[in-house]
Amino acid sequence: MPEGDTVHRAARRLNTALAGRVVTRFDLRVSQAATADLRGETVHDVIARGKHLLHRIGDYTLHTHLRMEGEWHVYVDGARWRRPAYQARAIVAAERVEAVGFELGVVELLRTRDEEQAVGYLGPDPLGPDWNPDEAARRLAADTRAAHVALLDQRNVAGFGTVFVNEILFLRGVLPTRPMAEVDTAALVALGARTIRRNVEERKRTFTGDARPGQGMWVYGRERKPCRRCGTLIRMTHLGADPTKERLAFWCPVCQS
């Protein structure tokens, strides 16, 4: 599932492949930008902001978001694509290298000077160069909603998705429905930052320290399975800011009481 760690790894890979190169092919397969052509422009860099990817090319920024199914692939020397061509939404190529974005949830092209229109609403990113844990803790402390909902809100902290939120709340012993105003947000933020920074360096995401198949999660995806700490069966429900934005919430009723 693409969360902040996945997106930052993708940005590193794309930046290594494209930064400093001149664009030889530029193809956006979305109606609002289908005629855009940045051939001949130089790719300055590719960075991540939370779950968002930003290709800075010439005076423009290609802003994409993976959503649930999206992926960026890098191919060299005309290698065959690993996904069907009809799923491609963005193609940025340079000499001997081609980056292809498949099933991207968001594809938009804007001038780099207007980049903040797309990502300026995001909260501090624990994987970003300007990470500000005090500001992240302040934003969370001001949120009166359930901890699960508040921590998922990208306006508070950028990069935590459903997997990270469930696992972080378990590790801090916080019930998903507990009001965030009752939580030690500074400690929550510190743990979250350590967790996502560790995982961005790993090929396989793990929260337990055990990367073997089926062993990496404490609670996520483990409904009705015994808690790895106390043996109580893990529970699951849906939580969200409104019924259209509900996400899965997993918890141990003993360890997160």
Side-chain angles (χ1 to χ4, degrees):
M1 184 177 295
E3 301 199 16
D5 56 341
T6 303
V7 178
H8 276 264
R9 280 195 301 272
R12 291 178 183 179
R13 186 171 66 253
L14 290 163
N15 190 67
T16 297
L18 295 171
R21 294 176 177 263
V22 175
V23 175
T24 57
R25 181 183 180 188
F26 189 81
D27 184 4
L28 301 184
R29 299 179 178 180
V30 293
S31 58
Q32 65 269 31
T35 61
D37 186 359
L38 296 185
R39 287 177 297 175
E41 299 288 351
T42 299
V43 179
H44 303 303
D45 57 14
V46 183
I47 69 165
R49 290 276 297 274
K51 301 180 186 181
H52 301 251
L53 278 163
L54 305 172
H55 290 68
R56 292 166 174 160
I57 307 169
D59 294 329
Y60 289 85
T61 293
L62 170 60
H63 166 227
T64 63
H65 194 294
L66 303 181
R67 297 291 191 222
M68 294 293 292
E69 305 295 335
E71 291 181 323
W72 274 97
H73 293 184
V74 175
Y75 300 97
V76 295
D77 295 327
R80 184 175 180 178
W81 292 358
R82 298 190 302 276
R83 292 184 65 165
Y86 72 83
Q87 293 181 354
R89 296 293 178 267
I91 303 166
V92 182
E95 186 179 3
R96 295 191 298 276
V97 66
E98 184 177 50
V100 186
F102 295 96
E103 291 196 306
L104 302 172
V106 172
V107 179
E108 67 171 337
L109 188 66
L110 62 160
R111 289 193 175 273
T112 301
R113 69 183 182 223
D114 299 324
E115 199 173 88
E116 290 301 296
Q117 294 179 9
V119 295
Y121 72 94
L122 295 171
D125 180 350
L127 295 175
D130 55 351
W131 167 236
N132 186 335
D134 293 335
E135 175 62 14
R138 185 196 67 78
R139 293 189 184 203
L140 285 171
D143 196 324
T144 60
R145 296 173 297 175
H148 186 275
V149 176
L151 194 56
L152 269 176
D153 193 329
Q154 300 300 293
R155 295 171 297 181
N156 291 329
V157 187
F160 296 146
T162 307
V163 177
F164 272 93
V165 167
N166 278 285
E167 294 294 300
I168 291 167
L169 292 179
F170 172 82
L171 289 168
R172 283 296 303 167
V174 175
L175 192 67
T177 54
R178 184 183 302 172
M180 187 58 87
E182 300 176 4
V183 176
D184 182 344
T185 58
L188 190 70
V189 163
L191 174 65
R194 290 197 303 272
T195 302
I196 199 168
R197 287 175 178 173
R198 181 187 65 203
N199 275 290
V200 77
E201 304 299 338
E202 302 293 335
R203 296 184 63 182
K204 185 175 179 60
R205 186 185 293 157
T206 176
F207 297 88
T208 63
D210 189 339
R212 291 177 299 171
Q215 301 300 310
M217 304 291 173
W218 290 103
V219 290
Y220 183 82
R222 302 192 67 246
E223 181 188 11
R224 298 180 183 176
K225 294 181 179 180
C227 174
R228 299 187 192 278
R229 284 183 175 170
C230 73
T232 305
L233 296 185
I234 300 300
R235 296 182 184 177
M236 187 273 287
T237 189
H238 294 81
L239 291 173
D242 61 61
T244 66
K245 297 179 180 179
E246 290 186 339
R247 298 292 183 269
L248 295 176
F250 299 88
W251 79 99
C252 171
V254 172
C255 296
Q256 294 169 262
S257 58

